[in-house]
Amino acid sequence: MLKTITKRVLQIIPMLFIISIISFALIKLAPGDPVNSFVTPDMNPDDVERIRQSLGLDQPIYIQYFIWLGNLLQGNLGYSIINSQPVLQQILERIPATLGLVGTSLILTLILSIPLGLVAANYENTWVDKVLNGISYIGISIPIFWFGMILIDVFSIRLGWLPSLGMRTIGVDSFWDMAEHAILPVITLTFQGCAAYYRYVRSNTINQLKEEYVLFGYAKGLSKVQVMGNHVLKNSLLPVITLLGMSLPQVITGAFITESIFSWPGMGSLGINAIFQLDYPVIMAITLFSALLLIIGNLLADLAYMIIDPRIREMG
């Protein structure tokens, strides 16, 4: 296990370096100019050029990249081109909002999808399985932005039960007010997440129920609950661990679409604004954090495999 951890950690630096080059090049090749955010129709061309020089955008792309990389190696993520605030400060301010939203929806997704997947597999091809499959197909097929807007239309506009935008009511600073604002975005993320996780759990559980160890367990006199809970469940969780590892970058990136729809002040809305304004220091910071968390998530998933399944641990 230590060899695996060491090998994967050593791979992080070259992978992040390659990702940074590709990301920086794509940002610079994208249409648009961040200087346009400061330009007015009657502004003198010389003033526009001075703004470009002050932002360092008059340098060749490779010079801009090495300047950015040099600052990064010193622990400096740079300053936003648009508001001149430190990028790290903006990220640290937004992470709690995204962590609360994504973390809550992820916990609810696991609580709902794992038992539902086990039930559907245990009652394969019955009406229970068909109903749950139908709901999961809807969750996978419906675009998340459309589902979010439907929730806003029904529960905020028509019924007036829940707020539709923001994280807090102006002038109100309470946990319950924030929780009320989070209900609709959490439902949106949970519904889509449950559909994906449920399919994986159900499919893998069906395969596990056909294995010989299940028949052996029943032959020993174990009950269905004991077989499902002590043996089948553990083997069925392997694909879920993979999905969890892939979900870790959402702690940084947030739910871009969901946060934009509900005006949730997290990392997703910060990233969307940075993309539209070509604020490359913010985009690069979010991209690298996401890539780093993805690598760490995959590593944690592999380690979890070794802990849960002794066969993987023995094969190294």
Side-chain angles (χ1 to χ4, degrees), residues 24-314:
F24 199 91
L26 290 175
I27 294 171
K28 293 301 180 180
L29 293 175
D33 188 349
V35 177
N36 292 335
S37 301
F38 305 93
V39 174
T40 59
D42 57 345
M43 184 173 288
N44 190 296
D46 293 336
D47 295 332
V48 175
E49 189 60 29
R50 277 194 290 270
I51 294 175
R52 189 182 306 278
Q53 292 176 0
S54 67
L55 296 174
L57 300 176
D58 60 322
Q59 301 289 336
I61 293 179
Y62 66 92
I63 296 295
Q64 294 182 44
Y65 172 76
F66 283 118
I67 292 175
W68 172 84
L69 182 62
N71 292 331
L72 178 65
L73 295 177
Q74 298 176 23
N76 180 13
L77 295 177
Y79 293 83
S80 169
I81 293 178
I82 305 302
N83 54 34
S84 300
Q85 294 182 1
V87 173
L88 182 60
Q89 176 185 333
Q90 295 185 68
I91 290 176
L92 294 178
E93 290 174 353
R94 300 282 188 130
I95 281 182
T98 294
L99 186 60
L101 182 65
V102 176
T104 303
S105 63
L106 189 58
I107 292 172
L108 290 176
T109 296
L110 294 175
I111 292 175
L112 295 173
S113 61
I114 293 176
L116 288 176
L118 293 173
V119 169
N122 194 44
Y123 295 97
E124 184 182 7
N125 295 327
T126 64
W127 68 269
V128 175
D129 184 32
K130 293 177 181 179
V131 169
L132 292 176
N133 280 339
I135 296 174
S136 70
Y137 287 136
I138 293 174
I140 294 173
S141 303
I142 292 180
I144 191 170
F145 69 88
W146 185 84
F147 184 68
M149 289 188 292
I150 291 296
L151 292 181
I152 292 175
D153 179 65
V154 174
F155 294 101
S156 297
I157 298 176
R158 298 180 184 273
L159 299 177
W161 290 353
L162 296 169
S164 60
L165 301 175
M167 185 176 172
R168 297 181 184 276
T169 302
I170 297 176
V172 179
D173 187 14
S174 69
F175 171 80
W176 297 113
D177 178 69
M178 183 177 64
E180 192 176 45
H181 280 77
I183 290 175
L184 292 183
V186 166
I187 291 176
T188 303
L189 289 173
T190 302
F191 183 66
Q192 187 186 55
C194 276
Y197 278 76
Y198 161 83
R199 300 298 304 173
Y200 279 92
V201 174
R202 175 187 177 276
S203 176
N204 206 42
T205 303
I206 290 175
N207 292 331
Q208 293 299 320
L209 290 175
K210 298 176 183 178
E211 296 290 336
E212 294 182 356
Y213 73 86
V214 175
L215 298 176
F216 181 72
Y218 287 132
K220 287 175 58 179
L222 298 179
S223 65
K224 181 177 291 187
V225 174
Q226 290 175 317
V227 172
M228 294 291 290
N230 297 334
H231 303 285
V232 175
L233 176 61
K234 184 180 292 186
N235 291 313
S236 300
L237 288 181
L238 291 179
V240 176
I241 293 173
T242 301
L243 289 179
L244 283 174
M246 299 293 290
S247 299
L248 192 56
Q250 287 187 347
V251 174
I252 291 295
T253 61
F256 271 61
I257 299 175
T258 304
E259 288 188 3
S260 299
I261 292 172
F262 293 96
S263 297
W264 190 263
M267 292 297 301
S269 56
L270 177 65
I272 289 290
N273 293 333
I275 291 172
F276 281 126
Q277 297 170 335
L278 292 179
D279 194 349
Y280 76 86
V282 177
I283 299 174
M284 290 298 298
I286 294 176
T287 301
L288 287 184
F289 273 125
S290 303
L292 179 60
L293 284 179
L294 182 60
I295 296 171
I296 294 175
N298 286 329
L299 174 59
L300 294 177
D302 290 344
L303 296 178
Y305 283 166
M306 296 180 185
I307 295 173
I308 292 177
D309 194 336
R311 295 169 299 179
I312 298 177
R313 186 166 60 248
E314 291 173 0

